[in-house]
Amino acid sequence: MSTETLDLEERTGAGPDFSLTSEQELLRDEVRRFAEERILPGTGERDKAHRFPEELMGEIAELGLLGMLVEERWGGTGFDPVSYVLAVEELARICPSTAVTMSVTNSVCCWPIQSFGSDEVRARVLPTLASGGAIGGFGLTEPGSGSDAASLRTAARRDGDEWVLDGEKAWITNAGYAGYYVVIARTDPDGGHRGLSAFVVPGDAPGLRVGTPEDKLGLRASRTAPLYFDGCRIPAANLLGEEGQGFKIVLATLDHSRLGIAAQAVGIHQRALELAVAYAKDRVQFGVPIAKHQAIQFKIAEMATQLAASRVLTRYAASVSEDGRPDAGRLASEAKAMASEGANKACWESLQIHGGNGFCEEYEIARLYRDVRVTTIYEGTSEMQRLVVARHLLR
Ligand SMILES: Cc1cc2nc3c(=O)[nH]c(=O)nc-3n(C[C@H](O)[C@H](O)[C@H](O)COP(=O)(O)OP(=O)(O)OC[C@H]3O[C@@H](n4cnc5c(N)ncnc54)[C@H](O)[C@@H]3O)c2cc1C
């Protein structure tokens, strides 16, 4: 049996450089300070009340965090992808709900509009999103179509100068708050995955209705609800790319946006570790702080090791995401699966270190334990990430 050498490092020349630029460090420190001072005080209350962080969105926009991947000529701040994952990580460390609100606006709404929209659509929509005049949403999932996105049924038909949408979307983050959604609909009933197209749908489009918000296990301060399209009319110009390119746009968008979920997981993991260390030094059992027990030390060492690996892979995947490398999507999937599963494990261990107190909402780890769960599910489950990786290696 012969084997082939798998080229897992497709970049030629110098190896990866993981150091941050001074601008990236500055941004990270600024977002960290903002998250600790402005977001943290209300995080527990918003979670309890399932209340969207509406009052924070203006300040987040002022920091330039809603149009991070949007070029300056379209009103954005034009940050690089590593800066973007740094910002998501810092927000998620303090409030994963706020982080997903911000990351969805950036990565699954602004990014495909900038990448596939006409100049007219970019000029009409992106400055509003990037300046915080509106946040963004993304409508792919339907009640009968999750991982198998190509089977979606929401239909779009052309009627003169308009597209008319009919159908239903499920689990839409920022639903009801978003000023614009990128929505994937079927324009050819018999076209399979080639029969899908992508559209920009304004939040106030006639015929669009937002359903009852989901009562979620975690991320309770983020809004998730269904969208109903009943003869929903949008301008013909709101088509992204060409008719039939919807699936291609979805794949490209998710390849990019998974970096944001990986970064969200890294931020949660970081906080779970910090909480575990603080608690272990403080809690005394058998006459010593539990941090003196080797079993606790091993848990903390394992959490820190996994965190370092997840963070490095996430930043590396971000750093190559715009190089046009064929393995950029695979790296994003690897980062998302690894970081989200590592963060779930870390929250589990951190709660274990907190003992009975960790099972109580008074302690922050209880909320993180709930919040982290979804990171292995949305924007593609861990199983789907592994399919992406395996397909890349076995093609
Ligand atoms: C809080 C939250 C926010 C969300 N926000 C959005 C949003 O803004 N926009 C949007 O469009 N969607 C959103 N989603 C939907 C999310 O992307 C889907 O839940 C996810 O893609 C999985 O789809 P599903 O839930 O239908 O699970 P299913 O696809 O039904 O999968 C169920 C299980 O089967 C496994 N499975 C399925 N197929 C295979 C296979 N071929 N091989 C192996 N295992 C398989 C899955 O991995 C999973 O474990 C959100 C979901 C949540 C929970």
Side-chain angles (χ1 to χ4, degrees), residues 49-343:
H50 294 232
R51 195 169 64 71
F52 184 80
E54 206 165 1
E55 68 277 17
L56 294 170
M57 297 321 291
E59 288 179 70
I60 290 173
E62 257 172 51
L63 285 171
L65 302 185
L66 291 184
M68 290 192 77
L69 304 170
V70 176
E71 294 169 27
E72 288 178 18
R73 65 185 167 134
W74 306 117
T77 34
F79 281 102
D80 61 280
V82 172
S83 298
Y84 170 64
V85 296
L86 289 172
V88 176
E89 181 186 327
E90 292 303 329
L91 292 180
R93 172 174 163 261
I94 297 302
C95 180
S97 289
T98 305
V100 77
T101 300
M102 169 270 199
S103 76
V104 160
T105 300
N106 276 284
S107 63
V108 284
C109 190
C110 288
W111 191 85
I113 294 172
Q114 173 166 271
S115 304
F116 300 100
S118 65
D119 280 359
E120 186 277 321
V121 169
R122 290 167 171 161
R124 178 154 48 90
V125 172
L126 289 175
T128 310
L129 287 166
S131 65
I135 59 169
F138 178 66
L140 173 67
T141 309
E142 300 182 356
S145 149
S147 303
D148 181 14
S151 67
L152 68 82
R153 292 166 65 168
T154 292
R157 69 182 161 80
R158 184 74 185 258
D159 182 22
D161 283 345
E162 293 179 319
W163 288 97
V164 185
L165 276 65
D166 284 285
E168 181 180 343
K169 294 288 172 185
W171 298 108
I172 307 306
T173 300
N174 295 343
Y177 288 97
Y180 294 100
Y181 302 90
V182 168
V183 172
I184 315 302
R186 180 164 295 288
T187 42
D188 177 357
D190 305 316
H193 69 277
R194 291 197 178 83
L196 303 180
S197 303
F199 302 91
V200 178
V201 178
D204 60 358
L208 171 61
R209 186 170 61 82
V210 179
T212 309
E214 303 298 342
D215 184 6
K216 304 194 295 293
L217 172 74
L219 287 190
R220 290 181 168 174
S222 77
R223 179 54 57 91
T224 316
L227 295 178
Y228 301 103
F229 302 87
D230 184 9
C232 173
R233 289 184 173 268
I234 56 169
N238 285 20
L239 175 72
L240 293 179
E242 288 170 21
E243 198 178 327
Q245 282 190 337
F247 198 65
K248 187 182 127 191
I249 292 173
V250 166
L251 294 185
T253 300
L254 291 178
D255 274 355
H256 207 276
S257 69
R258 283 169 181 152
L259 297 167
I261 305 305
Q264 184 190 31
V266 170
I268 297 172
H269 192 146
Q270 167 77 30
R271 188 68 170 175
L273 175 61
E274 289 169 6
L275 295 171
V277 167
Y279 192 87
K281 284 181 170 173
D282 189 56
R283 173 71 175 167
V284 174
Q285 285 296 282
F286 298 95
V288 291
I290 58 170
K292 294 278 183 200
H293 301 305
Q294 202 176 50
I296 302 290
Q297 293 173 2
F298 280 12
K299 286 183 196 298
I300 285 172
E302 186 63 32
M303 287 162 75
T305 308
Q306 167 82 56
L307 173 61
S310 295
R311 180 175 278 140
V312 165
L313 183 56
T314 299
R315 290 187 188 169
Y316 179 50
S319 75
V320 303
S321 63
E322 288 181 349
D323 290 357
R325 284 173 42 155
D327 60 345
R330 190 202 86 217
L331 285 165
S333 285
E334 288 173 353
K336 202 250 178 196
M338 179 176 181
S340 61
E341 291 173 13

